[in-house]
Amino acid sequence: MTTDVALGIDFGTSGVRIAATDAANTLKAMSAASIAAPIQTGLGRAWQDPAIWWDALIAAFKGLNLEGLSVRAIAIDGTSGTILSVTPDGTPASLASMYNDVAEKPLLALVASAAPRETAALGSTSPLARAMELHKPGTRIIHQADWILGKLSGRFDVTDENNALKTGYDPVTRRWPAWIGATSFDPENLPSVVPAGTKVATIHPAQAQAFGLPEDVAIVAGTTDGCAAFLASGAAEAGDGVTSLGTTLTLKLLSASPVFAPDFGIYSHRIGDQWLAGGASNTGGAAIGKFFTKDDLTRLTPLLEPDRPTGLDYYPLPKPGERFPVNDPNFQPRLEPRPEDERMFFQAMLEGIARIEAEAYAKLGELGASPLASIRTAGGGAANAAWTKIRLRALGVPEKPSLSEHAAVGTARLAWRGIGHAN
């Protein structure tokens, strides 16, 4: 007896990962392969041969044990903003321009002159500006996930709403907006857009044979790596929040309404009939690391007393400048007065970060998002039980366990949706 599974393929910055999950989101198999680093220049340019991605996917498939499993659907996520130019049959007409590739200033100026402030297509790495540089007559601009989808299906003319967002797509009106034409770039050179989790094709027979997959496997429009990581947490209801406690503090909130707040660097991805809004503060592990080593943290963490707040009102930052919930490039860290007790100093920093997290979710609510109703946690700080207790007190909502830390699992959820399984 075999078990039906969907495959989520996650392309990150350094590797590709494949997750096979059943309809209940249980992980049944997983494999990974590394990807060579992009070509980078001193001018901020970052390029990569897309053939590297395909070779990595082949390697990952070779390591995937599908014994006893029957693949029903496949979806792909890719790094947000990675684009390339292709001919109608999918042959790359350029190296891929990576998500962190800096666009040429004259092209950035063209986008800035035409684009509304609310679009995600602005900024020094604007995919739309880079698309203007890459495009050649007779080619189309597509995203990393789109190209892999095309290699599996033969379709190189479709993308999902999440990958399209930073290229200028309007998720509210659900179309490429007219202002793109005012940049001198024709939106006809961009792919058609479908909601994430939409079946767009059946696997190409040659690829089914090459990978040993059934010939009726559905190929489903995926998402970006960031959205996939959120979906991997298991969050599904408006008000579900996911905080990543890493070098910085990153938070995402599933909302019934979108939030577009360019002053805070906030825009919203559309996932089904819901919206994923996010923000990022400069507080986090980098601020803690200025004062404590890893050995210090190991020694001090068991000494924390989360039920006895320090009463200190800190705003930990590694250097001046904050993005969210305060937007001020000159915002000063607040770490005074400093007690002699280093345990108390450490706890006060954790309390300060927890307070910032609570203020950030409240700010999203003020901007129109659904109020925070539950929290899941990712990143290195998730393992600190005392910090979790401090955070839950500040947030005032229950904690929920994360389904998975692997973005590929989130993309597999979309694959299941593409064949009618809401999970």
Side-chain angles (χ1 to χ4, degrees):
M1 182 175 179
T2 60
T3 299
D4 286 345
V5 295
L7 302 185
I9 300 174
D10 165 46
F11 275 87
T13 56
S14 60
V16 59
R17 188 180 300 272
I18 306 175
T21 68
D22 65 15
N25 295 318
T26 303
L27 184 64
K28 294 296 184 179
M30 177 170 280
S31 67
S34 61
I35 296 176
I39 303 166
Q40 296 186 311
T41 73
L43 300 176
R45 305 312 305 264
W47 306 90
Q48 194 164 55
D49 183 347
I52 292 174
W53 308 337
W54 188 247
D55 290 343
L57 183 61
I58 291 172
F61 260 109
K62 287 180 178 177
L64 186 66
N65 182 5
L66 293 175
E67 184 177 354
L69 305 176
S70 178
V71 177
R72 297 281 313 284
I74 299 174
I76 305 106
D77 75 73
T79 49
S80 178
T82 295
I83 59 172
L84 68 158
S85 175
V86 299
T87 62
D89 68 355
T91 301
S94 69
L95 292 175
S97 173
M98 300 303 291
Y99 66 95
N100 57 344
D101 186 22
V102 176
E104 306 235 351
K105 289 184 179 180
L107 301 178
L108 290 171
L110 278 175
V111 174
S113 68
R117 292 183 68 243
E118 293 76 17
T119 181
L122 294 168
S124 63
T125 61
S126 167
L128 181 59
R130 291 184 281 118
M132 296 162 69
E133 176 186 1
L134 287 183
H135 182 258
K136 300 176 178 65
T139 68
R140 175 181 283 115
I141 299 296
I142 61 175
H143 308 89
Q144 180 182 41
D146 310 339
W147 189 71
I148 299 298
L149 181 151
K151 291 284 284 183
L152 289 171
S153 68
R155 285 196 66 177
F156 294 92
D157 63 344
V158 64
T159 189
D160 64 88
E161 290 186 305
N162 303 152
N163 274 294
L165 188 69
K166 288 185 179 179
T167 315
Y169 179 76
D170 185 336
V172 177
T173 60
R174 306 192 102 154
R175 61 181 175 84
W176 294 112
W179 65 258
I180 291 179
T183 67
S184 78
F185 186 78
D186 189 346
E188 291 295 320
N189 298 323
L190 296 168
S192 60
V193 186
V194 298
T198 301
K199 179 183 176 181
V200 297
T202 301
I203 193 168
H204 192 282
Q207 302 300 355
Q209 183 177 10
F211 292 117
L213 299 174
E215 293 187 355
D216 61 348
V217 173
I219 304 299
V220 176
T223 184
T224 64
D225 53 348
C227 290
F230 180 89
L231 291 169
S233 73
E237 304 294 332
D240 284 350
V242 177
T243 297
S244 179
L245 300 173
T247 302
T248 59
L249 177 75
T250 304
L251 47 90
K252 294 181 179 180
L253 177 66
L254 204 58
S255 173
S257 304
V259 176
F260 298 94
D263 289 342
F264 296 103
I266 295 172
Y267 48 84
S268 296
H269 284 282
R270 191 165 196 156
I271 300 178
D273 294 326
Q274 296 175 312
W275 299 85
L276 183 57
S281 167
N282 291 334
T283 194
I288 295 171
K290 284 196 68 175
F291 299 94
F292 299 101
T293 66
K294 289 184 178 180
D295 288 342
D296 290 334
L297 301 184
T298 300
R299 176 172 51 85
L300 293 172
T301 294
L303 304 179
L304 295 172
E305 299 179 355
D307 293 324
R308 297 181 60 187
T310 65
L312 295 168
D313 182 23
Y314 284 178
Y315 201 111
L317 294 171
K319 60 183 180 180
E322 176 62 308
R323 299 173 288 171
F324 183 70
V326 178
N327 177 24
D328 182 354
N330 298 310
F331 193 84
Q332 298 297 310
R334 189 169 65 242
L335 292 165
E336 297 289 343
R338 178 170 177 172
E340 292 184 6
D341 183 344
E342 60 179 351
R343 190 276 312 168
M344 182 176 289
F345 181 52
F346 176 42
Q347 180 166 323
M349 290 188 72
L350 298 182
E351 290 170 351
I353 295 172
R355 194 176 304 112
I356 295 167
E357 180 185 3
E359 291 172 0
Y361 278 112
K363 175 62 73 174
L364 283 175
E366 292 172 16
L367 294 170
S370 298
L372 182 69
S374 69
I375 193 70
R376 293 170 171 85
T377 308
N384 189 322
W387 193 6
T388 297
K389 194 168 186 179
I390 291 169
R391 292 174 51 237
L392 293 178
R393 180 184 293 113
L395 292 167
V397 298
E399 181 185 30
K400 291 186 177 180
S402 288
L403 172 66
S404 174
E405 62 181 15
H406 298 298
V409 171
T411 308
R413 288 182 67 189
L414 287 177
W416 276 113
R417 292 184 192 184
I419 55 174
H421 290 261
N423 59 357

